[in-house]
Amino acid sequence: MHAMVAREPGGPETLTLVDRTVPEPGPGQVLVRTEAIGINFIDTYHRSGVYPMDFPLTPGGEGSGVVSALGPGVDTVAVGDRVAWAASASGSYAEQVLVDAAQTLPVPDDLDAETAAAIPLQGMTAHMLVDGVTRLGPGQTVLLTAGAGGVGLLLTQLAVARGARVITTVSSGSKAELSRAAGAAEVIRYDQFDDLPAELPARVRELTDGDGVQVAYDGVGKDTFDACLASVRRRGMLVLFGGASGQVPPFDLQRLNQAGSLFATRPKLFDYIADPAELAWRAGAVFDAAATGALNVRIGARYPLADAADAHRALEGRQTTGKVLLIP
Ligand SMILES: NC(=O)c1ccc[n+]([C@@H]2O[C@H](COP(=O)([O-])OP(=O)(O)OC[C@H]3O[C@@H](n4cnc5c(N)ncnc54)[C@H](OP(=O)(O)O)[C@@H]3O)[C@@H](O)[C@H]2O)c1
């Protein structure tokens, strides 16, 4: 079977297609024949060495497919079941993937394989952000960077569904249209600012009667962190959930005091789905919403498995919108 391997930490060119034997599921594992594989920004951190990993590495922690074999002791999943997963371990850029049975998510009958692969990680992240890290409700105004991205489009819809007013940032006119269609009340073109750390908070305060937002969700990180912090109102919260532009340098907590007794957190999804009941609840919520059409899942691009390097180039080059999939 085919799989993509990064032989050493590096750029997208380190990703190589290899032929390898089909793995045997160990205790508690299932073997899945993948139908679609989700690409996430974290895959680029793993590939490039931002997060230390063992190499050679098969990236990927998300996908959907059909169970083809069970490891010893597995009785919660059967051969032939349609499943999806968001796994903390890598290894999903392959035609056949081992998944811990406890991490498999049942795919509703009326959800196609591509949508099922598109939402576990970004969908549950969006869900954790509005219903876990914060509890959004009517009357709240929030700021979200990269509003047309994979997490961004889903988070906007979930926040709007809870009654919040959403302000997003995007870097192009076509991304602005997508963000508006997802429900953003205001879309800011941050690519047009000469001085982003000063101009973005000024624009956000203009849109909020000078107050700022209750919550800023920032997945862009290094380039936007200061601007987001300065956009939050007194006693509000800054949620740093990623670093698409780079990691945020060490931070002096005293700045939270000076900015108005703010809260700051750096959450990761796997701490919000570690409990099996919480995983089932979050997965059920996003899968049901996608199946009924309440949540619109945009698949912005599909690449053959062998072209994973091109997919990484597009994602890191800000060329993508919504979800990017690999098709084995
Ligand atoms: N904490 C968690 O558990 C968790 C889980 C999932 C994802 N995340 C994080 O959430 C963020 C979004 O992930 P995603 O998979 O949905 O990606 P994405 O938003 O689809 O893609 C990243 C977006 O970031 C923006 N961006 C701004 N500056 C950039 C730069 N210098 N290089 C690349 N992109 C830049 C781009 O949008 P514009 O062109 O509009 O600026 C780009 O499209 C990432 O930081 C990811 O690590 C965190």
Side-chain angles (χ1 to χ4, degrees):
M1 68 133 185
H2 291 118
M4 290 305 294
V5 167
R7 298 195 179 284
E8 57 198 6
E13 68 288 348
T14 187
L15 291 169
T16 315
L17 189 70
V18 298
D19 214 349
R20 59 155 75 130
T21 50
V22 175
E24 290 270 322
Q29 291 183 319
V30 299
L31 182 66
V32 182
R33 184 173 45 76
T34 50
E35 294 182 310
I37 299 156
I39 292 197
N40 291 283
F41 219 92
I42 194 170
D43 305 347
T44 69
Y45 309 145
H46 288 160
R47 185 215 69 222
S48 64
V50 170
Y51 292 175
M53 303 293 285
D54 291 333
F55 285 83
L57 168 82
T58 292
E62 180 179 55
S64 74
V66 178
V67 175
S68 57
L70 305 180
V74 174
D75 56 8
T76 51
V77 186
V79 170
D81 281 0
R82 298 177 68 227
V83 295
W85 61 94
S88 52
S90 275
S92 296
Y93 288 12
E95 289 172 341
Q96 308 222 37
V97 173
L98 293 175
V99 184
D100 286 344
Q103 287 184 320
T104 58
L105 311 169
V107 176
D109 288 343
D110 37 8
L111 204 64
D112 63 273
E114 290 194 354
T115 308
I119 47 178
L121 213 140
Q122 292 169 339
M124 288 196 288
T125 298
H127 190 265
M128 131 189 123
L129 290 172
V130 300
D131 217 340
V133 177
T134 63
R135 298 212 187 278
L136 280 196
Q140 290 185 300
T141 301
V142 303
L143 172 68
L144 158 62
T145 54
V151 173
L153 289 173
L154 300 173
L155 176 54
T156 301
Q157 294 175 72
L158 295 187
V160 169
R162 282 157 180 75
R165 173 179 175 230
V166 179
I167 302 172
T168 63
T169 66
V170 298
S171 71
S172 73
S174 52
K175 288 185 176 185
E177 276 175 39
L178 288 172
S179 180
R180 268 194 207 94
E186 312 283 352
V187 180
I188 300 174
R189 286 281 304 275
Y190 58 173
D191 59 310
Q192 296 179 336
F193 292 141
D194 295 323
D195 182 3
L196 190 135
E199 289 177 74
L200 178 58
R203 182 76 189 116
V204 170
R205 286 185 187 274
E206 229 172 73
L207 294 169
T208 53
D209 297 326
D211 292 338
V213 292
Q214 270 99 352
V215 184
Y217 299 106
D218 184 18
V220 170
K222 187 163 160 272
D223 290 353
T224 46
F225 180 81
D226 288 338
C228 285
L229 190 74
S231 300
V232 178
R233 72 177 56 179
R234 179 176 288 144
R235 292 165 62 174
M237 183 180 282
L238 175 68
V239 181
L240 176 69
F241 68 95
S245 67
Q247 302 305 311
V248 174
F251 173 77
D252 179 3
L253 284 179
Q254 191 61 21
R255 289 181 62 193
L256 298 176
N257 167 334
Q258 287 151 1
S261 304
L262 305 190
F263 297 83
T265 180
R266 175 57 174 97
K268 70 172 183 293
L269 174 64
F270 295 100
D271 290 321
Y272 284 80
I273 54 173
D275 171 43
E278 190 168 5
L279 170 64
W281 169 58
R282 293 199 190 283
V286 289
F287 278 17
D288 288 352
T292 61
L295 185 66
N296 176 35
V297 180
R298 175 183 169 81
I299 295 168
R302 298 168 180 81
Y303 291 83
L305 176 62
D307 294 344
D310 288 339
H312 276 213
R313 279 187 198 100
L315 187 62
E316 292 176 290
R318 303 171 76 167
Q319 303 300 312
T320 66
T321 58
K323 188 67 190 180
V324 182
L325 292 179
L326 292 177
I327 307 300

